[in-house]
Amino acid sequence: MAQGMVNVNIVSSTDVLSVFTNKLEASVSVVPKNYQHILALTFAVKEINENPLILPNLTFGFHIYDSYFNAKRTYHATLLLMSTLERFFPNYICDIQNNLIAVIGGLDSQTSIHVANVLDIYKIPQLVYSPVPVMNDKTPGLLFYQMVPKEVLQFKGILALLLHFRWTWIGVVVMDNDNGERFLQTVIPMLSQSGVCFTFIQRIPIFTFVTDIKDMLDNGAKIHDKIMGSKANVFVVYGESYSFAFFRWLPYLSEQEHMARKPKGKVWIATVQVEHTSFVFQRTWNTEMFHGAISFAIHSNNQPSFHQFLEGRNPATTTADGFIREFWQNAFGCVFPVQSLDQAEANICTGEENLESLPGTFFEMSLTGHSYSVYNAVYAVAHALQAIFSSRLKYKAIMEGGELKHQMQEAWKLHHFLRRVSFNNSAGDKISLDKSGESVGGFDIINWIFFSNQSFHRVRVGRMDPQATPDQAFTIDQGAITWHSWFNQTRPLSVCTESCHPGSSKKVKEGEPYCCYDCILCPEGKISDQEDLNNCYECTDETYPNKNRDLCIPKGISFLAFGEPLGISLASFALSFALITTLVLGMFVKHKDTPIVKANNRNLSYTLLISLLLCFLCALLFIGKPHNVTCLFRQTAFGIIFSVAVSCVLAKTITVVLVFMATKPGSRMKKWVGKRLANTIVFSCSFIQAGICIMWLATKPPFPDADMYSMPEEIVLECNEGSVTMFYSVLSYMGLLAIVSFTVAFLARRLPDSFNEAKFITFSMLLFCSVWLSFVPSYLSTKGKYMVAVEVFSIIASSAGLLGCIFSPKCFIILLRPELNNREQLIRRKS
């Protein structure tokens, strides 16, 4: 009774369901749990026969055949269905009461394939109640119907489960057969493309001869130690229905005693095919290894009436069941008296043993997923027949000897109705098949909790529903899952490398899978705000990385503001010197008729003082948030005003030289001395600078701009100069004027004049040139608002230098030595 394959026979007055079940020849290898598949069939047939609304006046019957995991016996049993019952005459049927109409089975794919090859000849429908992936690639003509959802849905569920828990380093265990290879070819690329890597892919060989037992034990020990010694904590298992019973061998085969005594916790993810079953001899074996396992299961609902049906079954009351006595003896470990050769040494079966006392791996009182599929398969055939009998085109009534009989049509006509079958079963589930003959339902995700008495409790923790929206197709209740005690009830990790925390990125180790990597800190200027990012990325222009390089912080707005200390200091200096300049100008105006003011070219002094006053005030244009007007005029105003100031200095210097030369006898320079020459020098020199500025404004004028890059943590609001060439042209022209003034003043510094300004102009131009020569490298080496501060400082310093060097001696005489400010003193000093 290892595995089941159910065949359905339908006859005119007595309809017969025939079941194929697989049973190993050696009784020691019997799987008692699969007896439930037979009971599910019996229960479904009983319900249908007792329901007057389904196939009235017809009675279902069934026959069960055993394939023994053997292709020869499977083919023989299938051919037996095509002949008179209990006599093997292929293609000869003389029994009008028993006509095969459909087959249900089998549990394992190889059995179903063998049956399908024969049934295809006769176009008889086959309903399978377990996923059989090899059938998905069947050739047209193999007539079968799959009572479980499409297996690709299960594969998507496995992927979703792994990604949900971020298990990227897993092992895969499959049976070494065609189904296992098909699973690997389908699932491995799907998982790999989603970032899942494999520590190993283990194929478990299938042994069929006694001579292979030693090899099986040796390989089993190696497989166990390989699994338990792996760094991965999660394993995907794909096998046949009996695979779980094989895996229970593994702890007892281990070559490492410490692993066998205290098995390390692992998370087993089993596919639908793998049932939690045991061979008879595994009755007392420990199941701790599989505690907390997760499996995909065919959706099933509790049937209270099925539980009651089981409670009433025992060998004494169920004489027509040819399987119950063998099941009873294997499940309860006893023998019936008639079969016991030595009753004194054997446990005697009373027939009153309680089915509920059996371990869960031996028998369950509620319908398992596969048994539920058998139950639904029987109902699917019944509803398809009901549809046939309800259509006048599908049957006709024939009166023979005063008795009404239903003449069944050929079995192949059942296909048309099976493809459209849809009904609600007694558990409240809607059962329907799509046009491909596959169930349109979904899978349950089950968490298995094993107890020390070999019983278990299954907890439904999730669902894979193809009819839900894409974001709801996979659902999981993580809090409802019980993990293996090894993990101390914390979510297990299964990764090759611990996650790279935000602020770092992955660097794949050479020669290893991409799931194995090193974590490297993000480079300067880049961040990673999630775990396990392949590459760090740059923040936007408006943000910058924090110190941990895991977050982008909005940049602050920066400009040389009036309210900050640096802006307050510069503005205070500018206003202070502007006030001083105003006072000096007022002093000169008040003492305009004094010799010292007249002797130093009064008008040029006024012009120079006014231009210096404007220079100090011009510095204020550079402070504050840049606007269109301030950006447009601050550099040009500064350039023109400073050119006027330097031109005045140059005019003063030239005037001093010409005055000295004019005093020489016979000199013709007298005609050049006067206001006209000074005005001409100031106007012409300033006009050239004004022309440069007008050209600048006409071509590429300055404009407000935001510098996102020079300061990593700030957005600098600045005035873009528009044309850098024109900006440096303005500075160069001022520098040229200053150099010429310095040169002329230097050459005239020793002229014998009481009020000779040449020496003071020399110092002022030396200071002026020093300030602006140091300005260029300072300006280019600073960033942000400090560039503006450097220029403002240069304007104030150079202007203050001119004011102090040229006018402080005169102010000293006017205020503190007025006795020197007279004509007699001037003449005496000249002589």
Side-chain angles (χ1 to χ4, degrees):
M1 276 167 282
Q3 329 207 28
M5 180 170 58
V6 181
N7 294 0
V8 182
N9 294 32
I10 304 297
V11 296
S12 57
S13 59
T14 302
D15 301 327
V16 182
L17 290 169
S18 296
V19 182
F20 272 96
T21 110
N22 292 336
K23 179 179 64 178
L24 291 179
E25 295 185 21
S27 61
V28 73
S29 300
V30 168
V31 179
K33 188 170 183 176
N34 290 331
Y35 176 58
Q36 191 191 90
H37 303 160
I38 298 173
L39 296 181
L41 168 75
T42 307
F43 176 65
V45 171
K46 178 177 178 294
E47 278 193 339
I48 292 172
N49 288 336
E50 293 176 353
N51 189 343
L53 300 179
I54 303 178
L55 298 176
N57 301 322
L58 293 177
T59 304
F60 258 165
F62 60 88
H63 290 276
I64 301 173
Y65 293 88
D66 196 350
S67 67
Y68 295 92
F69 293 108
N70 184 282
K72 180 179 179 181
R73 294 201 179 195
T74 302
Y75 281 116
H76 179 273
T78 308
L79 289 172
L80 186 62
L81 293 173
M82 309 302 167
S83 61
T84 300
L85 292 178
E86 300 180 358
R87 303 187 66 181
F88 184 54
F89 296 107
N91 295 327
Y92 176 74
I93 299 178
C94 61
D95 187 351
I96 64 172
Q97 286 279 332
N98 297 283
N99 294 319
L100 178 66
I101 194 64
V103 172
I104 299 176
L107 179 57
D108 291 314
S109 59
Q110 291 302 315
T111 303
S112 299
I113 295 170
H114 298 327
V115 175
N117 289 332
V118 177
L119 296 182
D120 179 46
I121 300 173
Y122 300 93
K123 309 304 179 187
I124 296 175
Q126 179 184 3
L127 292 85
V128 295
Y129 57 97
S130 179
V132 277
V134 71
M135 305 289 274
N136 290 340
D137 298 327
K138 64 184 185 299
T139 57
L142 287 182
L143 304 175
F144 73 93
Y145 300 88
Q146 193 162 307
M147 299 307 298
V148 294
K150 298 178 181 180
E151 195 166 38
V152 66
L153 179 65
Q154 182 181 200
F155 298 160
K156 292 179 179 178
I158 292 174
L159 173 60
L161 184 66
L162 295 175
L163 296 181
H164 176 81
F165 290 109
R166 304 183 71 178
W167 292 331
T168 58
W169 186 242
I170 67 170
V172 178
V173 182
V174 299
M175 301 299 291
D176 192 9
N177 55 21
D178 291 343
N179 288 336
E181 288 302 318
R182 196 176 302 273
F183 174 82
L184 294 178
Q185 293 174 11
T186 304
V187 175
I188 297 302
M190 180 191 303
L191 299 184
S192 298
Q193 291 171 5
S194 298
V196 179
C197 301
F198 309 94
T199 179
F200 63 78
I201 298 175
Q202 180 64 54
R203 294 173 175 84
I204 298 178
I206 299 176
F207 299 93
T208 56
F209 301 101
V210 176
T211 53
D212 293 327
I213 289 180
K214 184 179 184 302
D215 293 337
M216 181 182 70
L217 297 179
D218 292 341
N219 284 328
K222 294 177 181 178
I223 292 172
H224 175 269
D225 295 340
K226 187 175 184 179
I227 290 175
M228 290 302 165
S230 172
K231 185 179 178 180
N233 286 324
V234 175
F235 297 92
V236 175
V237 179
Y238 182 90
E240 306 299 343
S241 61
Y242 54 85
S243 298
F244 179 81
F246 175 82
F247 294 139
R248 293 190 68 186
W249 271 98
L250 297 181
Y252 299 92
L253 301 176
S254 175
E255 297 176 350
Q256 302 182 31
E257 294 183 3
H258 67 281
M259 287 188 176
R261 288 196 307 269
K262 189 176 181 180
K264 183 180 178 181
K266 300 291 182 181
V267 179
W268 299 80
I269 300 177
T271 53
V272 169
Q273 294 90 327
V274 181
E275 285 196 319
H276 286 72
T277 58
S278 297
F279 293 125
V280 170
F281 59 86
Q282 296 174 321
R283 179 188 305 274
T284 60
W285 287 19
N286 193 352
T287 54
E288 181 187 359
M289 176 180 178
F290 305 100
H291 181 66
I294 298 175
S295 71
F296 287 80
I298 302 167
H299 173 71
S300 61
N301 259 334
N302 186 31
Q303 289 268 35
S305 54
F306 180 71
H307 191 280
Q308 298 172 1
F309 172 76
L310 295 180
E311 289 177 338
R313 299 191 69 85
N314 60 65
T317 60
T318 316
T319 56
D321 188 343
F323 292 91
I324 191 168
R325 292 176 66 88
E326 182 178 356
F327 161 77
W328 212 265
Q329 293 180 128
N330 287 312
F332 290 102
C334 63
V335 294
F336 288 98
V338 262
Q339 296 181 346
S340 176
L341 299 178
D342 189 356
Q343 297 182 15
E345 296 181 2
N347 294 324
I348 303 301
C349 295
T350 65
E352 300 299 326
E353 288 82 3
N354 189 357
L355 288 174
E356 294 192 55
S357 66
L358 291 174
T361 56
F362 271 26
F363 194 78
E364 293 185 63
M365 296 296 287
S366 59
L367 280 170
T368 64
H370 292 118
S371 296
Y372 192 64
S373 295
V374 173
Y375 176 83
N376 290 327
V378 177
Y379 266 94
V381 174
H383 281 280
L385 290 174
Q386 178 79 8
I388 291 177
F389 295 148
S390 299
S391 174
R392 293 182 178 181
L393 298 178
K394 299 301 178 182
Y395 76 97
K396 62 182 179 179
I398 301 176
M399 184 68 66
E400 295 181 2
E403 183 178 316
L404 182 63
K405 293 189 177 181
H406 295 280
Q407 180 66 39
M408 280 296 304
Q409 303 298 317
E410 293 85 348
W412 61 268
K413 293 185 179 180
L414 192 65
H415 291 290
H416 174 72
F417 294 91
L418 281 174
R419 292 191 185 98
R420 299 186 302 175
V421 69
S422 180
F423 60 93
N424 292 324
N425 64 15
S426 59
D429 288 332
K430 183 176 181 180
I431 308 299
S432 58
L433 303 179
D434 60 19
K435 60 182 181 181
S436 300
E438 296 176 318
S439 173
V440 296
F443 292 104
D444 291 335
I445 302 175
I446 304 298
N447 180 218
W448 296 87
I449 303 172
F450 288 89
F451 303 101
S452 57
N453 62 353
Q454 308 302 307
S455 63
F456 57 73
H457 178 54
R458 65 176 83 201
V459 179
R460 187 178 302 174
V461 296
R463 174 83 172 151
M464 195 68 193
D465 188 359
Q467 297 177 325
T469 57
D471 59 328
Q472 295 293 325
F474 171 81
T475 56
I476 189 77
D477 182 4
Q478 183 174 332
I481 299 177
T482 299
W483 305 109
H484 193 282
S485 57
W486 179 277
F487 302 112
N488 196 24
Q489 201 46 37
T490 58
R491 189 188 75 179
L493 297 177
S494 190
V495 293
C496 182
T497 304
E498 291 291 337
S499 295
C500 290
H501 298 295
S504 61
S505 62
K506 298 191 298 186
K507 181 181 180 182
V508 178
K509 296 180 180 179
E510 187 175 354
E512 296 189 26
Y514 55 84
C515 292
C516 302
Y517 47 81
D518 293 320
C519 296
I520 58 174
L521 188 66
C522 287
E524 188 74 28
K526 293 187 177 182
I527 71 155
S528 64
D529 56 358
Q530 299 177 19
E531 291 186 345
D532 293 335
L533 286 183
N534 292 323
N535 296 293
C536 300
Y537 61 90
E538 295 181 350
C539 293
T540 61
D541 293 342
E542 294 79 14
T543 58
Y544 70 96
N546 63 352
K547 292 183 179 179
N548 295 329
R549 303 180 188 180
D550 59 358
L551 181 67
C552 286
I553 302 175
K555 290 182 178 180
I557 302 299
S558 174
F559 57 89
L560 186 60
F562 284 104
E564 62 179 296
L566 182 59
I568 293 174
S569 301
L570 293 175
S572 299
F573 279 117
L575 292 174
S576 298
F577 281 111
L579 179 60
I580 293 171
T581 305
T582 304
L583 294 175
V584 172
L585 178 59
M587 185 188 304
F588 266 56
V589 171
K590 182 178 179 181
H591 299 85
K592 62 181 178 179
D593 296 325
T594 61
I596 195 169
V597 175
K598 291 181 177 180
N600 287 279
N601 200 327
R602 181 172 52 189
N603 292 333
L604 276 181
S605 295
Y606 292 162
T607 305
L608 177 57
L609 285 171
I610 293 172
S611 63
L612 289 177
L613 173 62
L614 294 177
C615 283
F616 289 124
L617 296 178
C618 176
L620 298 177
L621 294 175
F622 290 82
I623 305 174
K625 186 176 181 179
H627 296 287
N628 287 325
V629 176
T630 56
C631 287
L632 195 65
F633 292 110
R634 71 181 188 179
Q635 294 289 7
T636 54
F638 152 69
I640 295 173
I641 294 169
F642 245 85
S643 297
V644 172
V646 178
S647 299
C648 290
V649 174
L650 177 61
K652 273 179 168 288
T653 308
I654 293 176
T655 300
V656 170
V657 174
L658 291 178
V659 168
F660 175 76
M661 295 177 65
T663 57
K664 293 181 180 181
S667 175
R668 298 181 179 179
M669 292 298 177
K670 292 182 179 181
K671 62 181 179 178
W672 294 101
V673 177
K675 298 179 181 180
R676 185 176 179 183
L677 176 62
N679 293 337
T680 302
I681 294 174
V682 172
F683 176 79
S684 59
C685 292
S686 302
F687 179 78
I688 295 174
Q689 184 72 292
I692 296 174
C693 291
I694 292 172
M695 187 183 301
W696 185 3
L697 295 178
T699 53
K700 292 184 178 180
F703 58 90
D705 195 10
D707 182 4
M708 305 281 190
Y709 310 105
S710 61
M711 303 294 287
E713 300 180 5
E714 296 177 343
I715 298 176
V716 179
L717 300 183
E718 62 179 8
C719 288
N720 191 307
E721 308 304 346
S723 174
V724 178
T725 302
M726 300 303 293
F727 172 66
Y728 284 106
S729 297
V730 169
L731 293 181
S732 299
Y733 181 74
M734 284 193 304
L736 176 62
L737 292 179
I739 291 172
V740 173
S741 297
F742 173 75
T743 303
V744 175
F746 181 78
L747 296 175
R749 70 187 185 281
R750 297 184 182 276
L751 294 179
D753 192 344
S754 297
F755 298 100
N756 183 13
E757 292 183 294
K759 61 180 68 175
F760 301 117
I761 293 175
T762 302
F763 286 118
S764 66
M765 287 297 100
L766 180 61
L767 178 61
F768 185 92
C769 293
S770 299
V771 169
W772 288 104
L773 286 175
S774 61
F775 162 78
V776 175
S778 300
Y779 185 82
L780 296 177
S781 61
T782 54
K783 297 179 180 179
K785 62 183 179 182
Y786 299 103
M787 294 179 66
V788 181
V790 167
E791 187 170 1
V792 173
F793 176 79
S794 299
I795 293 172
I796 295 175
S798 57
S799 300
L802 290 177
L803 178 65
C805 292
I806 295 177
F807 292 98
S808 59
K810 301 175 180 59
C811 293
F812 175 79
I813 292 175
I814 294 173
L815 295 176
L816 302 179
R817 301 293 301 273
E819 69 276 8
L820 299 179
N821 190 11
N822 57 72
R823 182 176 177 82
E824 292 75 13
Q825 186 68 25
L826 174 63
I827 296 173
R828 187 176 64 84
R829 290 175 63 86
K830 288 178 66 175
S831 61

PDB file of all heavy atoms in Angstrom, residues 617-630:
ATOM      1  N   LEU A 617      31.556 101.160  -0.985  1.00  0.00           N
ATOM      2  CA  LEU A 617      30.139 100.816  -1.071  1.00  0.00           C
ATOM      3  C   LEU A 617      29.880  99.711  -2.087  1.00  0.00           C
ATOM      4  O   LEU A 617      28.953  98.898  -1.927  1.00  0.00           O
ATOM      5  CB  LEU A 617      29.330 102.072  -1.435  1.00  0.00           C
ATOM      6  CG  LEU A 617      29.356 103.199  -0.389  1.00  0.00           C
ATOM      7  CD1 LEU A 617      28.567 104.398  -0.900  1.00  0.00           C
ATOM      8  CD2 LEU A 617      28.806 102.707   0.940  1.00  0.00           C
ATOM      9  N   CYS A 618      30.716  99.682  -3.111  1.00  0.00           N
ATOM     10  CA  CYS A 618      30.583  98.638  -4.143  1.00  0.00           C
ATOM     11  C   CYS A 618      30.808  97.250  -3.537  1.00  0.00           C
ATOM     12  O   CYS A 618      30.224  96.252  -3.986  1.00  0.00           O
ATOM     13  CB  CYS A 618      31.578  98.909  -5.268  1.00  0.00           C
ATOM     14  SG  CYS A 618      31.584  97.632  -6.549  1.00  0.00           S
ATOM     15  N   ALA A 619      31.648  97.179  -2.513  1.00  0.00           N
ATOM     16  CA  ALA A 619      31.898  95.877  -1.870  1.00  0.00           C
ATOM     17  C   ALA A 619      30.633  95.279  -1.284  1.00  0.00           C
ATOM     18  O   ALA A 619      30.506  94.047  -1.170  1.00  0.00           O
ATOM     19  CB  ALA A 619      32.959  96.037  -0.789  1.00  0.00           C
ATOM     20  N   LEU A 620      29.678  96.140  -0.924  1.00  0.00           N
ATOM     21  CA  LEU A 620      28.439  95.641  -0.355  1.00  0.00           C
ATOM     22  C   LEU A 620      27.604  94.888  -1.381  1.00  0.00           C
ATOM     23  O   LEU A 620      26.741  94.072  -1.006  1.00  0.00           O
ATOM     24  CB  LEU A 620      27.626  96.805   0.231  1.00  0.00           C
ATOM     25  CG  LEU A 620      28.297  97.576   1.370  1.00  0.00           C
ATOM     26  CD1 LEU A 620      27.413  98.734   1.799  1.00  0.00           C
ATOM     27  CD2 LEU A 620      28.597  96.651   2.543  1.00  0.00           C
ATOM     28  N   LEU A 621      27.805  95.165  -2.676  1.00  0.00           N
ATOM     29  CA  LEU A 621      27.065  94.440  -3.717  1.00  0.00           C
ATOM     30  C   LEU A 621      27.423  92.959  -3.748  1.00  0.00           C
ATOM     31  O   LEU A 621      26.653  92.135  -4.250  1.00  0.00           O
ATOM     32  CB  LEU A 621      27.331  95.063  -5.094  1.00  0.00           C
ATOM     33  CG  LEU A 621      26.806  96.481  -5.332  1.00  0.00           C
ATOM     34  CD1 LEU A 621      27.250  96.983  -6.696  1.00  0.00           C
ATOM     35  CD2 LEU A 621      25.286  96.508  -5.217  1.00  0.00           C
ATOM     36  N   PHE A 622      28.610  92.619  -3.232  1.00  0.00           N
ATOM     37  CA  PHE A 622      29.058  91.231  -3.265  1.00  0.00           C
ATOM     38  C   PHE A 622      28.502  90.421  -2.083  1.00  0.00           C
ATOM     39  O   PHE A 622      28.640  89.208  -2.053  1.00  0.00           O
ATOM     40  CB  PHE A 622      30.583  91.169  -3.237  1.00  0.00           C
ATOM     41  CG  PHE A 622      31.223  91.650  -4.499  1.00  0.00           C
ATOM     42  CD1 PHE A 622      31.412  93.012  -4.725  1.00  0.00           C
ATOM     43  CD2 PHE A 622      31.636  90.769  -5.476  1.00  0.00           C
ATOM     44  CE1 PHE A 622      32.007  93.471  -5.875  1.00  0.00           C
ATOM     45  CE2 PHE A 622      32.231  91.213  -6.643  1.00  0.00           C
ATOM     46  CZ  PHE A 622      32.426  92.570  -6.850  1.00  0.00           C
ATOM     47  N   ILE A 623      27.920  91.095  -1.108  1.00  0.00           N
ATOM     48  CA  ILE A 623      27.400  90.422   0.073  1.00  0.00           C
ATOM     49  C   ILE A 623      25.884  90.313  -0.058  1.00  0.00           C
ATOM     50  O   ILE A 623      25.214  91.238  -0.512  1.00  0.00           O
ATOM     51  CB  ILE A 623      27.776  91.195   1.354  1.00  0.00           C
ATOM     52  CG1 ILE A 623      29.284  91.413   1.426  1.00  0.00           C
ATOM     53  CG2 ILE A 623      27.297  90.452   2.594  1.00  0.00           C
ATOM     54  CD1 ILE A 623      29.726  92.287   2.585  1.00  0.00           C
ATOM     55  N   GLY A 624      25.333  89.172   0.365  1.00  0.00           N
ATOM     56  CA  GLY A 624      23.894  88.948   0.258  1.00  0.00           C
ATOM     57  C   GLY A 624      23.578  87.950  -0.839  1.00  0.00           C
ATOM     58  O   GLY A 624      24.435  87.543  -1.630  1.00  0.00           O
ATOM     59  N   LYS A 625      22.326  87.540  -0.879  1.00  0.00           N
ATOM     60  CA  LYS A 625      21.884  86.552  -1.871  1.00  0.00           C
ATOM     61  C   LYS A 625      21.949  87.149  -3.270  1.00  0.00           C
ATOM     62  O   LYS A 625      21.455  88.253  -3.507  1.00  0.00           O
ATOM     63  CB  LYS A 625      20.451  86.112  -1.558  1.00  0.00           C
ATOM     64  CG  LYS A 625      19.972  84.971  -2.447  1.00  0.00           C
ATOM     65  CD  LYS A 625      18.576  84.520  -2.027  1.00  0.00           C
ATOM     66  CE  LYS A 625      18.109  83.363  -2.900  1.00  0.00           C
ATOM     67  NZ  LYS A 625      16.751  82.889  -2.505  1.00  0.00           N
ATOM     68  N   PRO A 626      22.579  86.424  -4.189  1.00  0.00           N
ATOM     69  CA  PRO A 626      22.712  86.955  -5.557  1.00  0.00           C
ATOM     70  C   PRO A 626      21.355  87.145  -6.231  1.00  0.00           C
ATOM     71  O   PRO A 626      20.478  86.287  -6.120  1.00  0.00           O
ATOM     72  CB  PRO A 626      23.540  85.885  -6.270  1.00  0.00           C
ATOM     73  CG  PRO A 626      24.233  85.132  -5.185  1.00  0.00           C
ATOM     74  CD  PRO A 626      23.293  85.153  -4.033  1.00  0.00           C
ATOM     75  N   HIS A 627      21.217  88.275  -6.914  1.00  0.00           N
ATOM     76  CA  HIS A 627      20.029  88.565  -7.717  1.00  0.00           C
ATOM     77  C   HIS A 627      20.481  89.016  -9.094  1.00  0.00           C
ATOM     78  O   HIS A 627      21.673  89.274  -9.329  1.00  0.00           O
ATOM     79  CB  HIS A 627      19.170  89.651  -7.060  1.00  0.00           C
ATOM     80  CG  HIS A 627      18.603  89.228  -5.737  1.00  0.00           C
ATOM     81  ND1 HIS A 627      17.586  88.325  -5.611  1.00  0.00           N
ATOM     82  CD2 HIS A 627      18.934  89.602  -4.472  1.00  0.00           C
ATOM     83  CE1 HIS A 627      17.285  88.157  -4.332  1.00  0.00           C
ATOM     84  NE2 HIS A 627      18.111  88.922  -3.620  1.00  0.00           N
ATOM     85  N   ASN A 628      19.539  89.128  -9.981  1.00  0.00           N
ATOM     86  CA  ASN A 628      19.882  89.518 -11.351  1.00  0.00           C
ATOM     87  C   ASN A 628      20.591  90.867 -11.391  1.00  0.00           C
ATOM     88  O   ASN A 628      21.601  91.036 -12.085  1.00  0.00           O
ATOM     89  CB  ASN A 628      18.610  89.566 -12.214  1.00  0.00           C
ATOM     90  CG  ASN A 628      18.081  88.183 -12.547  1.00  0.00           C
ATOM     91  OD1 ASN A 628      18.860  87.253 -12.738  1.00  0.00           O
ATOM     92  ND2 ASN A 628      16.774  88.029 -12.604  1.00  0.00           N
ATOM     93  N   VAL A 629      20.063  91.844 -10.650  1.00  0.00           N
ATOM     94  CA  VAL A 629      20.635  93.194 -10.703  1.00  0.00           C
ATOM     95  C   VAL A 629      22.027  93.221 -10.100  1.00  0.00           C
ATOM     96  O   VAL A 629      22.979  93.767 -10.694  1.00  0.00           O
ATOM     97  CB  VAL A 629      19.705  94.190  -9.974  1.00  0.00           C
ATOM     98  CG1 VAL A 629      20.341  95.580  -9.924  1.00  0.00           C
ATOM     99  CG2 VAL A 629      18.344  94.253 -10.664  1.00  0.00           C
ATOM    100  N   THR A 630      22.173  92.636  -8.912  1.00  0.00           N
ATOM    101  CA  THR A 630      23.481  92.659  -8.251  1.00  0.00           C
ATOM    102  C   THR A 630      24.520  91.900  -9.061  1.00  0.00           C
ATOM    103  O   THR A 630      25.679  92.329  -9.165  1.00  0.00           O
ATOM    104  CB  THR A 630      23.373  92.063  -6.842  1.00  0.00           C
ATOM    105  OG1 THR A 630      22.829  90.744  -6.923  1.00  0.00           O
ATOM    106  CG2 THR A 630      22.495  92.924  -5.964  1.00  0.00           C
TER     107      THR A 630
END
